[in-house]
Short mmCIF file of all heavy atoms in Angstrom, two decimals:
data_model
loop_
_atom_site.label_atom_id
_atom_site.label_comp_id
_atom_site.label_asym_id
_atom_site.label_seq_id
_atom_site.Cartn_x
_atom_site.Cartn_y
_atom_site.Cartn_z
N ALA A 174 -0.41 2.11 4.98
CA ALA A 174 1.00 2.24 4.49
C ALA A 174 1.84 2.41 5.81
O ALA A 174 1.45 3.01 6.77
CB ALA A 174 1.00 3.53 3.65
N ALA A 175 3.03 1.96 5.57
CA ALA A 175 4.07 2.03 6.72
C ALA A 175 5.39 2.36 6.09
O ALA A 175 5.73 1.85 4.96
CB ALA A 175 3.96 0.92 7.58
N LEU A 176 6.33 2.92 6.81
CA LEU A 176 7.70 3.06 6.40
C LEU A 176 8.41 1.92 7.23
O LEU A 176 8.21 1.71 8.43
CB LEU A 176 8.29 4.35 6.73
CG LEU A 176 7.72 5.58 6.01
CD1 LEU A 176 8.58 6.75 6.22
CD2 LEU A 176 7.78 5.36 4.47
N LEU A 177 9.33 1.24 6.55
CA LEU A 177 10.12 0.23 7.14
C LEU A 177 11.50 0.83 7.47
O LEU A 177 12.13 1.30 6.53
CB LEU A 177 10.28 -0.88 6.20
CG LEU A 177 8.86 -1.51 5.56
CD1 LEU A 177 9.31 -2.57 4.56
CD2 LEU A 177 8.06 -2.05 6.64
N SER A 178 11.96 0.88 8.63
CA SER A 178 13.06 1.60 9.07
C SER A 178 14.31 1.24 8.13
O SER A 178 14.63 0.03 7.90
CB SER A 178 13.53 1.28 10.55
OG SER A 178 12.57 1.93 11.35
N ASN A 179 14.90 2.32 7.60
CA ASN A 179 16.11 2.13 6.82
C ASN A 179 16.03 1.19 5.66
O ASN A 179 16.96 0.58 5.13
CB ASN A 179 17.31 1.60 7.70
CG ASN A 179 17.61 2.49 8.89
OD1 ASN A 179 16.92 2.37 9.99
ND2 ASN A 179 18.59 3.40 8.81
N HIS A 180 14.75 1.18 5.06
CA HIS A 180 14.51 0.19 4.02
C HIS A 180 13.61 0.67 2.95
O HIS A 180 13.95 0.68 1.77
CB HIS A 180 13.73 -0.99 4.79
CG HIS A 180 13.54 -2.16 3.87
ND1 HIS A 180 13.22 -3.45 4.29
CD2 HIS A 180 13.43 -2.24 2.49
CE1 HIS A 180 12.94 -4.26 3.33
NE2 HIS A 180 13.08 -3.59 2.17
N GLY A 181 12.32 1.18 3.24
CA GLY A 181 11.40 1.66 2.26
C GLY A 181 10.02 1.70 2.76
O GLY A 181 9.77 2.01 3.90
N ALA A 182 9.03 1.45 1.88
CA ALA A 182 7.62 1.64 2.19
C ALA A 182 6.94 0.46 1.74
O ALA A 182 7.23 -0.27 0.75
CB ALA A 182 7.08 2.93 1.47
N VAL A 183 5.77 0.20 2.39
CA VAL A 183 4.89 -0.85 2.09
C VAL A 183 3.43 -0.25 2.06
O VAL A 183 3.19 0.49 2.96
CB VAL A 183 4.93 -2.06 2.89
CG1 VAL A 183 4.58 -1.83 4.38
CG2 VAL A 183 4.08 -3.23 2.35
N VAL A 184 2.67 -0.60 1.05
CA VAL A 184 1.34 0.08 0.87
C VAL A 184 0.40 -1.03 0.49
O VAL A 184 0.65 -1.80 -0.42
CB VAL A 184 1.34 1.23 -0.10
CG1 VAL A 184 -0.04 1.97 -0.24
CG2 VAL A 184 2.42 2.29 0.17
N SER A 185 -0.90 -0.97 1.03
CA SER A 185 -1.85 -1.85 0.46
C SER A 185 -3.05 -1.08 -0.03
O SER A 185 -3.21 0.15 0.35
CB SER A 185 -2.34 -2.86 1.63
OG SER A 185 -3.05 -2.20 2.61
N GLY A 186 -3.85 -1.66 -0.85
CA GLY A 186 -5.11 -0.96 -1.37
C GLY A 186 -6.18 -1.81 -1.80
O GLY A 186 -5.92 -3.08 -1.86
N GLU A 187 -7.38 -1.24 -2.01
CA GLU A 187 -8.52 -2.10 -2.44
C GLU A 187 -8.29 -2.71 -3.67
O GLU A 187 -8.96 -3.84 -4.00
CB GLU A 187 -9.70 -1.22 -2.40
CG GLU A 187 -10.23 -0.76 -1.08
CD GLU A 187 -9.40 0.61 -0.64
OE1 GLU A 187 -8.48 1.02 -1.31
OE2 GLU A 187 -9.79 1.18 0.36
N ASP A 188 -7.43 -2.16 -4.59
CA ASP A 188 -7.19 -2.77 -5.84
C ASP A 188 -5.73 -2.27 -6.32
O ASP A 188 -5.19 -1.42 -5.58
CB ASP A 188 -8.14 -2.48 -6.96
CG ASP A 188 -8.56 -1.03 -7.01
OD1 ASP A 188 -7.53 -0.21 -6.97
OD2 ASP A 188 -9.68 -0.60 -7.17
N LEU A 189 -5.21 -2.78 -7.25
CA LEU A 189 -3.93 -2.31 -7.76
C LEU A 189 -3.79 -0.89 -8.02
O LEU A 189 -2.59 -0.29 -7.64
CB LEU A 189 -3.47 -3.17 -8.98
CG LEU A 189 -2.74 -4.60 -8.72
CD1 LEU A 189 -2.62 -5.28 -10.00
CD2 LEU A 189 -1.32 -4.25 -8.10
N ASP A 190 -4.75 -0.33 -8.70
CA ASP A 190 -4.67 1.14 -9.10
C ASP A 190 -4.54 1.92 -7.73
O ASP A 190 -3.73 2.83 -7.68
CB ASP A 190 -5.89 1.46 -9.92
CG ASP A 190 -5.80 2.89 -10.29
OD1 ASP A 190 -4.81 3.30 -11.03
OD2 ASP A 190 -6.68 3.76 -9.84
N ARG A 191 -5.41 1.54 -6.77
CA ARG A 191 -5.36 2.46 -5.55
C ARG A 191 -4.08 2.22 -4.79
O ARG A 191 -3.48 3.23 -4.13
CB ARG A 191 -6.61 2.22 -4.70
CG ARG A 191 -7.85 2.96 -5.28
CD ARG A 191 -9.01 2.78 -4.47
NE ARG A 191 -9.80 1.63 -4.99
CZ ARG A 191 -10.97 1.25 -4.71
NH1 ARG A 191 -11.68 2.07 -3.83
NH2 ARG A 191 -11.60 0.21 -5.27
N ALA A 192 -3.57 1.04 -4.83
CA ALA A 192 -2.35 0.81 -4.12
C ALA A 192 -1.24 1.54 -4.81
O ALA A 192 -0.38 2.14 -4.09
CB ALA A 192 -1.98 -0.75 -4.07
N VAL A 193 -1.16 1.60 -6.06
CA VAL A 193 -0.06 2.33 -6.77
C VAL A 193 -0.24 3.80 -6.64
O VAL A 193 0.78 4.45 -6.29
CB VAL A 193 -0.20 1.92 -8.26
CG1 VAL A 193 0.71 2.98 -9.11
CG2 VAL A 193 0.22 0.53 -8.53
N GLN A 194 -1.48 4.24 -6.66
CA GLN A 194 -1.69 5.81 -6.50
C GLN A 194 -1.28 6.13 -4.97
O GLN A 194 -0.76 7.28 -4.84
CB GLN A 194 -3.01 6.14 -6.81
CG GLN A 194 -3.43 6.02 -8.27
CD GLN A 194 -2.48 6.74 -9.21
OE1 GLN A 194 -2.10 7.85 -8.94
NE2 GLN A 194 -2.09 6.13 -10.26
N SER A 195 -1.55 5.26 -4.10
CA SER A 195 -1.31 5.73 -2.63
C SER A 195 0.21 5.65 -2.48
O SER A 195 0.75 6.37 -1.77
CB SER A 195 -1.95 4.63 -1.72
OG SER A 195 -3.31 4.84 -1.71
N THR A 196 0.84 4.67 -3.22
CA THR A 196 2.43 4.64 -3.07
C THR A 196 3.05 5.90 -3.67
O THR A 196 3.94 6.46 -3.05
CB THR A 196 2.85 3.39 -3.86
OG1 THR A 196 2.28 2.20 -3.24
CG2 THR A 196 4.36 3.26 -3.71
N ILE A 197 2.45 6.33 -4.75
CA ILE A 197 2.94 7.63 -5.39
C ILE A 197 2.74 8.75 -4.47
O ILE A 197 3.57 9.66 -4.33
CB ILE A 197 2.32 7.78 -6.77
CG1 ILE A 197 2.77 6.68 -7.75
CG2 ILE A 197 2.65 9.19 -7.33
CD1 ILE A 197 1.99 6.69 -9.05
N GLU A 198 1.57 8.82 -3.89
CA GLU A 198 1.22 10.01 -2.80
C GLU A 198 2.09 9.88 -1.70
O GLU A 198 2.55 10.98 -1.29
CB GLU A 198 -0.24 9.88 -2.56
CG GLU A 198 -0.76 11.20 -1.91
CD GLU A 198 -0.61 12.43 -2.85
OE1 GLU A 198 -1.32 12.40 -3.95
OE2 GLU A 198 0.10 13.38 -2.53
N LEU A 199 2.40 8.70 -1.22
CA LEU A 199 3.29 8.60 -0.08
C LEU A 199 4.67 9.01 -0.40
O LEU A 199 5.29 9.71 0.41
CB LEU A 199 3.33 7.16 0.43
CG LEU A 199 4.38 6.80 1.69
CD1 LEU A 199 4.00 7.59 2.76
CD2 LEU A 199 4.29 5.37 1.87
N GLU A 200 5.17 8.68 -1.49
CA GLU A 200 6.49 9.13 -1.92
C GLU A 200 6.61 10.80 -1.92
O GLU A 200 7.57 11.33 -1.50
CB GLU A 200 6.87 8.58 -3.28
CG GLU A 200 8.30 9.12 -3.77
CD GLU A 200 9.51 8.59 -3.02
OE1 GLU A 200 9.26 7.88 -2.07
OE2 GLU A 200 10.59 8.96 -3.38
N GLU A 201 5.51 11.37 -2.47
CA GLU A 201 5.51 12.83 -2.56
C GLU A 201 5.39 13.41 -1.16
O GLU A 201 6.05 14.41 -0.87
CB GLU A 201 4.27 13.33 -3.27
CG GLU A 201 4.07 14.68 -3.51
CD GLU A 201 5.17 15.35 -4.33
OE1 GLU A 201 6.02 14.71 -4.83
OE2 GLU A 201 5.09 16.63 -4.45
N ALA A 202 4.59 12.72 -0.24
CA ALA A 202 4.52 13.24 1.11
C ALA A 202 5.85 13.15 1.83
O ALA A 202 6.24 14.06 2.52
CB ALA A 202 3.40 12.44 1.87
N CYS A 203 6.54 12.01 1.59
CA CYS A 203 7.93 11.90 2.23
C CYS A 203 8.90 12.93 1.59
O CYS A 203 9.65 13.52 2.45
CB CYS A 203 8.47 10.51 1.91
SG CYS A 203 7.59 9.21 2.72
N ARG A 204 8.77 13.26 0.38
CA ARG A 204 9.64 14.22 -0.28
C ARG A 204 9.40 15.67 0.34
O ARG A 204 10.32 16.41 0.75
CB ARG A 204 9.42 14.32 -1.79
CG ARG A 204 10.35 15.23 -2.53
CD ARG A 204 9.99 15.17 -4.03
NE ARG A 204 8.97 15.97 -4.34
CZ ARG A 204 8.83 17.31 -4.54
NH1 ARG A 204 9.93 17.99 -4.60
NH2 ARG A 204 7.73 17.88 -4.92
#
Side-chain angles (χ1 to χ4, degrees):
L176 294 187
L177 312 174
S178 287
N179 304 82
H180 184 165
V183 63
V184 181
S185 66
E187 293 83 354
D188 53 41
L189 270 168
D190 182 63
R191 278 179 275 194
V193 168
Q194 292 306 315
S195 293
T196 303
I197 292 171
E198 194 61 60
L199 174 58
E200 176 69 2
E201 180 69 0
C203 291
R204 187 179 75 86

